[in-house]
Amino acid sequence: MINFIEDLNTKLDTIHQGGGAKAAAKQKEKGKMLARERVAYLLDKDKPSIEIGSFAAYEMYEKEKGCPAAGVIVKIGYVSGKQCIVVANDATVKAGAWFPMTCKKNLRAQEISIENRLPIIYLVDSAGVYLPLQDEIFPDKEHFGRIFRNNAQMSSLGISQIAAVMGSCVAGGAYLPIMSDEAMIVDKTGSIFLAGSYLVKAAIGEDVDNETLGGATTHCEVSGVTDYKMPNDAACLDRIRSIMDKIGDYDKAGFNRSESHSPKLNPIDLFDIVTSDRSKQYDTKEIIHRLVDNSEFDEYKEEYGKTIVCGYARIDGWAVGIVANNRKVVKNGKGELQIGGVIYNDSADKATRFILNCNQKKIPLVFVQDVTGFMVGSKSEMGGIIKDGAKMVNAVGNSVVPKFTIIIGNSYGAGNYAMCGKAYDPRLIVAWPTAQIAVMGGAQAAKTLLQIQLANKKDTTKEEEDALLAEINARYLKQTTAYYAAARLWVDEIINPLETRTWISMGIEAANHAPITRPFNVGVIQT
């Protein structure tokens, strides 16, 4: 695990450099802060923060020489003591241009804001859509236009939106700050226009410079498009802090919280419990005891359905219900051995009932995934494994309490769904570096794919088959890594296991901004 964490930190250090030293120097020459400097200046120094999507677009867009963090920084933190989400374009990455993954990441930030009624701050510095990939970002439902649709709906929901134009803000992107509650612009470096001077010349023949066309003086003194004209980045960020300081309190969901306590068992032990060995057995309760306050865990139905562990605990004072896959081989009530990490009929039945209880009691759910899937075979099918699995998926899908998912190992097949994968709307979903996400395990998948390819070939030698299997296995395994998933925002972040408590705590605090208004109802299920 230490090697995994070192590799994670090395990759993050590179990503945090954005477009590199040369591009950063150009921004400095203009008197601008870098995007990460802006975010760090804005956020309260004495409060924690978490970053969403550091690995977005990782090892994607290789023809374009990469797009670190998808060219945009997203953090949940505190400004003037108020929890909020900050979105900052990184102008060192292709002048802050929007790639397809940039759009997806911005939409994820807005989704978090909407689900949790969390104030959102946009630090705008972008050249607009990356034209060579415009067909992948412009017209579809979850493309660029969705951003402004969300702006409108967030305003109607009473979610505070503050925008600061600290660089370019062009074309369709110009609508984002103006659809926010309040917009400010930095003099001489900020600009807003539907078309820049070159396009204006080409379109209507008018000669005009960009500052006259859409600079701070134009929009604060003539057009009235922006509300505040600020002399520099620091003053602009100070004004945001001042505005946030005056925002009123919010209606709360009312999740239970008491005094926070550290785990009694040392969390550093997590590094020894979970390793890169996919076959290693361990007792998941050893993980839980190192994540929860005072290492206290009230287990539910302890002697039944043992391949899933359920129970109540506190994390940083917040009451939570935990649903975790057990990776230890166990015996069921009939004395039969059950494989760790597999969901059996009894485990699915227990988890379903526990999820119902948490919804009844208004207790947030934490799913800890290390699952290879549901049990297969004639015995399971005759026992109705599909029916029991469907009940669990139904309960997860219809839950109204906030859900948080931590993928610590395997996340395969329908097990990913039942344990609240991305498709089931967890408020936050993160992976430890040891996570693997796929429709099935690498060895099984590679052998299946090999058989499909060999069906169309004749007279292959053992050496050729072995080489083909190795090639398929390597390609498939790359697609199962935590980094592959994080690049596509299937998870919000890859984290050091020691950060897990902070993520869950900040996630529940965010969720507490949004009172539950929908009644809990699972509809029709087979019992």
Side-chain angles (χ1 to χ4, degrees):
M1 183 65 82
I2 291 172
N3 290 337
F4 273 112
I5 299 302
E6 288 178 350
D7 182 52
L8 171 67
N9 290 336
T10 298
K11 287 180 168 66
L12 283 172
D13 286 343
T14 301
I15 288 169
H16 289 172
Q17 292 171 24
K22 189 174 179 182
K26 285 184 178 179
Q27 296 299 308
K28 290 291 190 178
E29 287 170 9
K30 297 176 183 177
K32 296 162 67 175
M33 290 181 179
L34 302 180
R36 290 190 178 275
E37 291 175 342
R38 289 168 174 167
V39 175
Y41 184 98
L42 181 62
L43 293 177
D44 294 350
K45 306 297 184 295
D46 60 341
K47 297 270 193 176
S49 66
I50 53 179
E51 182 162 356
I52 305 291
S54 296
F55 287 93
Y58 180 71
E59 293 186 340
M60 298 172 68
Y61 309 121
E62 292 183 359
K63 275 202 233 173
E64 292 79 15
K65 298 184 180 177
C67 185
V72 63
I73 296 150
V74 176
K75 283 197 174 187
I76 299 175
Y78 302 82
V79 175
S80 297
K82 299 194 173 56
Q83 195 180 38
C84 60
I85 186 162
V86 179
V87 180
N89 299 115
D90 187 350
T92 70
V93 180
K94 299 288 191 298
W98 286 56
F99 282 64
M101 284 305 302
T102 315
C103 186
K104 187 172 183 178
K105 186 170 174 180
N106 274 269
L107 287 171
R108 176 60 178 144
Q110 289 186 321
E111 180 183 40
I112 291 170
S113 174
I114 292 168
E115 285 182 329
N116 300 290
R117 301 295 191 269
L118 208 58
I120 187 166
I121 298 167
Y122 307 101
L123 307 182
V124 184
D125 193 346
S126 172
V129 168
Y130 185 69
L131 288 177
L133 298 175
Q134 64 86 27
D135 62 319
E136 299 178 41
I137 188 174
F138 173 64
D140 209 349
K141 180 178 179 180
E142 297 297 328
H143 283 178
F144 197 63
R146 191 76 169 183
I147 302 285
F148 316 126
R149 174 264 191 191
N150 286 350
N151 286 142
Q153 292 212 341
M154 291 161 74
S155 183
S156 73
L157 291 169
I159 298 170
S160 295
Q161 300 178 83
I162 301 170
V165 179
M166 310 181 81
S168 296
C169 183
V170 301
Y175 288 104
L176 184 147
I178 313 313
M179 294 187 75
S180 299
D181 301 338
E182 297 188 75
M184 56 201 71
I185 185 169
V186 178
D187 194 22
K188 300 297 184 290
T189 55
S191 59
I192 308 172
F193 35 67
L194 294 180
S197 56
Y198 293 127
L199 183 53
V200 168
K201 174 68 173 176
I204 64 173
E206 181 185 0
D207 284 309
V208 61
D209 63 89
N210 283 339
E211 186 64 26
T212 303
L213 189 64
T217 298
T218 294
H219 285 313
C220 285
E221 299 180 23
V222 181
S223 73
V225 164
T226 49
D227 306 312
Y228 307 94
K229 179 180 177 181
M230 308 309 301
N232 52 50
D233 282 8
C236 185
L237 297 168
D238 287 339
R239 179 59 58 88
I240 295 173
R241 292 183 60 80
S242 179
I243 292 170
M244 286 293 294
D245 180 57
K246 297 168 182 65
I247 292 178
D249 203 358
Y250 55 89
D251 295 334
K252 296 175 178 63
F255 303 121
N256 185 293
R257 191 178 197 185
S258 63
E259 184 181 353
S260 174
H261 296 278
S262 299
K264 285 184 178 177
L265 297 178
N266 194 344
I268 203 72
D269 297 340
L270 296 170
F271 289 7
D272 294 322
I273 298 170
V274 179
T275 72
S276 58
D277 182 357
R278 320 308 295 182
S279 63
K280 180 184 175 184
Q281 294 182 41
Y282 61 85
D283 187 344
T284 298
K285 284 179 266 190
E286 294 300 316
I287 300 281
I288 294 170
H289 288 146
R290 287 160 177 81
L291 294 178
V292 302
D293 290 13
N294 285 325
S295 300
E296 293 174 351
F297 179 60
D298 300 328
E299 190 169 356
Y300 175 80
K301 289 185 180 286
E302 182 176 0
E303 300 302 323
Y304 179 72
K306 294 180 182 179
T307 64
I308 288 184
V309 174
C310 300
Y312 304 105
R314 290 189 182 274
I315 292 179
D316 195 25
W318 294 104
V320 296
I322 296 174
V323 181
N325 303 112
N326 196 1
R327 279 300 304 273
K328 185 178 179 182
V329 173
V330 297
K331 285 185 179 180
N332 64 14
K334 300 174 184 176
E336 302 165 329
L337 287 179
Q338 293 184 335
I339 302 167
V342 177
I343 302 176
Y344 289 79
N345 300 70
D346 53 357
S347 301
D349 179 69
K350 175 173 83 171
T352 300
R353 179 63 182 269
F354 181 73
I355 292 165
L356 299 180
N357 275 338
C358 287
N359 276 272
Q360 181 85 345
K361 297 177 174 67
K362 206 161 73 170
I363 299 174
L365 284 159
V366 176
F367 292 84
V368 182
Q369 283 196 20
D370 192 349
V371 58
T372 53
F374 286 87
M375 191 58 191
V376 298
S378 59
K379 185 175 180 181
S380 290
E381 298 293 357
M382 291 177 186
I385 188 65
I386 296 174
K387 178 182 66 176
D388 290 326
K391 286 193 296 187
M392 184 175 174
V393 168
N394 190 311
V396 174
N398 280 303
S399 285
V400 295
V401 294
K403 299 166 292 195
F404 303 89
T405 302
I406 318 295
I407 305 174
I408 68 175
N410 302 322
S411 181
Y412 295 155
N416 170 282
Y417 299 160
M419 292 295 294
C420 198
K422 185 65 183 286
Y424 289 79
D425 297 324
R427 297 291 178 98
L428 294 171
I429 176 170
V430 296
W432 290 3
T434 42
Q436 287 191 350
I437 304 171
V439 72
M440 65 177 72
Q444 303 96 310
K447 288 176 183 176
T448 302
L449 291 168
L450 176 67
Q451 293 306 313
I452 293 171
Q453 293 199 25
L454 290 179
N456 299 318
K457 293 184 179 184
K458 293 182 179 179
D459 303 324
T460 55
T461 66
K462 178 69 165 54
E463 288 75 17
E464 288 173 332
E465 290 184 13
D466 289 345
L468 185 56
L469 178 61
E471 178 189 338
I472 292 170
N473 194 51
R475 184 172 65 247
Y476 188 87
L477 286 178
K478 182 179 180 180
Q479 295 175 355
T480 70
T481 66
Y483 295 102
Y484 192 91
R488 288 150 184 83
L489 287 177
W490 301 343
V491 295
D492 290 317
E493 192 74 340
I494 304 169
I495 66 169
N496 184 326
L498 301 181
E499 298 170 351
T500 305
R501 280 171 54 87
T502 298
W503 273 79
I504 295 171
S505 176
M506 288 190 67
I508 298 175
E509 182 178 350
N512 204 36
H513 286 73
I516 297 171
T517 56
R518 181 168 67 89
F520 178 57
N521 188 342
V522 295
V524 178
I525 59 173
Q526 291 193 38
T527 57

